[in-house]
Amino acid sequence: MKPNTQAWLLGASIFGQAVGLWWLAHLDAQALVLGAFLAVAVHAAWRARALWSGHLDMILVMGALGGFGMLLGTWADARFAPSLVGVPCPMHTRADGGLFTWMTGLMLLFAVPPGVAWSRCLDRYRSHRPALWAAVAVDTAGMLAGMLAFGLWFADPFSLLVGSGTAGMHLAMLAGMLAGMAAAMPLRDRLPNPAPTVPPTTIPR
């Protein structure tokens, strides 16, 4: 997939989350305006990612595609109810903390494959598959731990901030995903790499 197409897909996923929360959480139109602004920012950041650390690639993919998959999965867990207002999050109602739900499954399905394929920070591992998947496992563990922690600890403050329990929980878990992955990346970069160093991916103009 060409970088420009990737950028449009990421931007659309950000705006899709705004539309989903506007509809399912009954937010006002400001959510759509903010979603459009963030979508443009993510699109521009992806187009200019050659200027930034390769770690930004994974953060953008997880925030956009992972966040969209998580919201879609939350809706699936609610059996596609017309509204998510008042619907309890699986994280608070299941003994597994929501790890084995559509919410988590679609988040991983939407985010991990493109994250692995598009992220420059994984280039050094690509010629040795076990090292690559060990690196992905560390990132994924950090992302899941952050999602669970922020969902349990910070859902209420986020809910007060945006005036919606549904949107607050989604945003708290999304922030936790990104924080957990950011914390895991330095640990992942310390993993031994038994393969020869691979030149970084060149981003087509």
Side-chain angles (χ1 to χ4, degrees), residues 31-181:
L32 299 179
V33 175
L34 179 59
F37 174 80
L38 291 175
V40 171
V42 166
H43 178 277
W46 189 262
R47 291 296 305 273
R49 65 192 178 117
L51 301 175
W52 315 107
S53 165
H55 292 108
L56 178 66
D57 301 355
M58 188 73 81
I59 295 293
L60 291 175
V61 170
M62 294 302 164
L65 296 176
F68 183 77
M70 182 170 65
L71 182 59
L72 184 61
T74 301
W75 192 29
D77 285 323
R79 301 183 184 274
F80 300 105
S83 171
L84 290 179
V85 175
V87 177
C89 176
M91 186 178 295
H92 292 149
T93 59
R94 293 171 57 103
D96 60 22
L99 281 177
F100 301 101
T101 59
W102 284 109
M103 177 186 73
T104 304
L106 290 184
M107 180 266 287
L108 294 174
L109 179 64
F110 278 47
V112 173
V116 172
W118 302 348
S119 297
R120 292 166 295 146
C121 58
L122 295 175
D123 284 347
R124 61 188 291 241
Y125 302 106
R126 294 194 190 281
S127 59
H128 192 271
R129 194 166 295 272
L132 174 63
W133 290 111
V136 172
V138 171
D139 283 353
T140 302
M143 179 173 63
L144 290 174
M147 182 187 79
L148 289 172
F150 274 55
L152 292 172
W153 298 339
F154 299 116
D156 288 343
F158 273 85
S159 298
L160 290 173
L161 181 65
V162 300
S164 165
T166 300
M169 173 60 79
H170 178 77
L171 294 175
M173 290 191 296
L174 185 62
M177 285 166 51
L178 303 183
M181 175 162 284

Side-chain angles (χ1 to χ4, degrees), residues 2-9 43 46-47:
K2 294 182 179 180
N4 190 47
T5 305
Q6 295 169 357
W8 280 107
L9 180 59
H43 178 277
W46 189 262
R47 291 296 305 273

Side-chain angles (χ1 to χ4, degrees), residues 14-23 25-39 162 164 167 171:
I14 291 291
F15 188 65
Q17 290 178 68
V19 172
L21 291 173
W22 168 74
W23 179 31
H26 303 171
L27 300 183
D28 58 32
Q30 290 179 342
L32 299 179
V33 175
L34 179 59
F37 174 80
L38 291 175
V162 300
S164 165
L171 294 175

